[in-house]
Amino acid sequence: MSGPAYARTLAERARAAGATIRTNATVTGWAGDRVIEATTPQGRIRVEARAVVLATGARERPRSARLIPGDRPRGVYTTGHLQNLVHLRHGGVGRRAVVAGAEPVSWSAALTLREAGCRTVLMTTEYPRPEAPFLFTVPGRIFFGTRVATRTRVSRIIGRPRLRAVEVENLDTGERRIVACDTLVLTGDWVPDHELARLGGIALDPGTKGPVVDGALRTDRPGVFAAGNVLHPVDTADVAALDGAHVARSVLAWLRGRDTPAGQVPLVAGAPFRWVSPEVVRPGDPAPPRGHLLLWSDRYIPFPRIVVRQGGRVVARRRLWWPTAPGRVFRVPAGVLARIDPEGGPVTVGAEP
Ligand SMILES: Cc1cc2nc3c(=O)[nH]c(=O)nc-3n(C[C@H](O)[C@H](O)[C@H](O)COP(=O)(O)OP(=O)(O)OC[C@H]3O[C@@H](n4cnc5c(N)ncnc54)[C@H](O)[C@@H]3O)c2cc1C
């Protein structure tokens, strides 16, 4: 299904289920625990709900947040900005691009650039190997003629008013060189759109930077839930959609008066992981969405051994046959938590080669 067809299908299903969809509406804040305020083309509205689901997604950090020095020319985009320009507004970009990042979304940017008649001459990644699986990288090299420079960052932006080149730096040798290009796409480096959670005083996880949730996707505010990439930047669209089905069951249970189970065990990301989602498990709750814990690794380990510890004791060890790799979500079957003690305090999930 194409993206627009997929979006239309979901919108039709939501309407058929009785939802009112307000487009061009921005939720600006809270006027109570489950009361939101929004700005719409028809004016400001206030909606009081028995349950609220935050599903505000994630975005790529723009140039300013990445602190790349240099000129401020035209021709610098994030993938979201680029795809909006090319697919929705049918605007043109340049002819020769550098893409910062080598994640799956970076290849999505390269595809969009190709559609707009622009060749991706170089991709850069600060990691020792491309983040995207070789299924992206090998055909990308053959069909797009795109080289991936590892351990490399964009260190300067050059050109005014239009981009002329970027300077790239090898992080191991410190060597710098100039690459001529008229388009730069900054990909990956995700951050959840967590502003509403923050405004509402809902607990945020310093690792994911999204709201802290349990396996039922409840936040720490009763009746407020969160789902999709606001929780785990960034997973694929299918996973975000399935989070929706999972959270719907939790919302229905809440509306029917089911209480949150007492007691909770915090989950903590151990090396090489940056974060784990959900951050809390509750005895008596269903397994997390799709029966998996999601984690984000800073290190490539081809066949990692997962080690789960509680109170200094190893409670599970399991070899998995898929790699931990920077730039993509890593999934661990939630069964590794089967032997944790509900009263035993925080549980750390780590991995070793
Ligand atoms: C540029 C880009 C390309 C991607 N390409 C792919 C791909 O090719 N394949 C893939 O599987 N995944 C891709 N992804 C991952 C993508 O994030 C997921 O596919 C999916 O869209 C995430 O779903 P979500 O429901 O969590 O959030 P989103 O789909 O991002 O939806 C969040 C929604 O919340 C709205 N919102 C945010 N704040 C407010 C507010 N205050 N008030 C009102 N509305 C608000 C936003 O406008 C948006 O409509 C891509 C992501 C990006 C950014």
Side-chain angles (χ1 to χ4, degrees):
M1 214 187 271
S2 71
Y6 179 66
R8 262 195 311 276
T9 304
L10 291 187
E12 276 158 21
R13 280 196 205 165
R15 280 197 199 93
T20 302
I21 301 178
R22 297 261 195 166
T23 53
N24 288 321
T26 302
V27 179
T28 50
W30 303 82
D33 274 358
R34 287 177 297 280
V35 188
I36 58 98
E37 287 182 327
T39 302
T40 76
Q42 293 77 38
R44 285 179 63 78
I45 58 169
R46 183 176 278 202
V47 183
E48 197 170 333
R50 285 171 60 210
V52 175
V53 180
L54 301 173
T56 45
R59 62 174 183 268
E60 296 165 295
R61 293 195 323 142
R63 179 209 171 156
S64 52
R66 300 182 194 220
L67 303 176
I68 307 173
D71 300 325
R72 307 207 158 271
R74 286 198 308 272
V76 181
Y77 311 95
T78 59
T79 317
H81 188 183
L82 170 80
Q83 293 186 333
N84 211 293
L85 180 68
V86 173
H87 297 311
L88 292 182
R89 287 187 273 147
H90 307 289
V93 286
R95 305 302 300 263
R96 211 182 134 82
V98 169
V99 170
E103 298 185 18
V105 74
S106 318
W107 289 104
S108 175
L111 263 177
T112 302
L113 287 166
R114 195 163 85 145
E115 204 176 310
C118 179
R119 181 167 162 244
T120 302
V121 292
L122 182 73
M123 260 185 199
T124 63
T125 173
E126 298 189 15
Y127 290 104
R129 52 187 298 148
E131 298 96 299
F134 71 93
L135 280 175
F136 289 79
T137 312
V138 174
R141 210 168 291 163
I142 296 169
F143 298 117
F144 292 8
T146 300
R147 217 170 60 75
V148 181
T150 54
R151 296 289 297 144
T152 298
R153 70 178 181 112
V154 173
S155 49
R156 192 157 54 101
I157 292 174
I158 304 164
R160 200 183 290 170
R162 173 94 214 173
L163 180 68
R164 254 188 318 108
V166 292
E167 178 192 71
V168 297
E169 180 189 36
N170 182 303
L171 296 171
D172 293 326
T173 62
E175 187 194 331
R176 293 181 173 198
R177 63 194 170 96
I178 304 291
V179 181
C181 62
D182 54 15
T183 305
L184 170 66
V185 189
L186 303 170
T187 67
D189 197 359
W190 305 94
V191 61
D193 267 314
H194 60 206
E195 280 71 14
L196 280 177
R198 197 169 44 78
L199 271 178
I202 289 167
L204 296 178
D205 176 56
T208 60
K209 300 187 171 62
V212 170
V213 288
D214 60 20
L217 304 185
R218 306 176 189 94
T219 68
D220 69 338
R221 171 165 316 161
V224 179
F225 302 77
N229 278 336
V230 69
L231 293 179
H232 39 65
V234 60
D235 215 332
T236 49
D238 50 336
V239 172
L242 292 172
D243 259 14
H246 186 89
V247 80
R249 287 188 284 275
S250 305
V251 169
L252 286 173
W254 159 259
L255 294 177
R256 289 187 190 121
R258 179 170 182 253
D259 282 336
T260 303
Q264 58 175 49
V265 179
L267 294 185
V268 180
F273 298 117
R274 231 188 255 187
W275 52 254
V276 56
S277 178
E279 293 83 358
V280 170
V281 288
R282 294 179 194 277
D285 253 356
R290 301 164 311 284
H292 282 86
L293 306 177
L294 307 182
L295 298 108
W296 192 267
S297 172
D298 276 321
R299 199 177 140 203
Y300 184 83
I301 307 179
F303 303 112
R305 193 156 63 146
I306 302 305
V307 184
V308 180
R309 290 192 171 81
Q310 188 177 31
R313 202 168 54 88
V314 173
V315 290
R317 258 205 185 95
R318 190 188 295 182
R319 177 80 62 193
L320 295 180
W321 302 105
W322 51 93
T324 66
R328 11 180 177 138
V329 169
F330 178 69
R331 298 167 215 287
V332 173
V336 296
L337 303 179
R339 291 179 49 220
I340 64 173
D341 173 0
E343 311 287 332
V347 166
T348 303
V349 185
E352 45 192 46

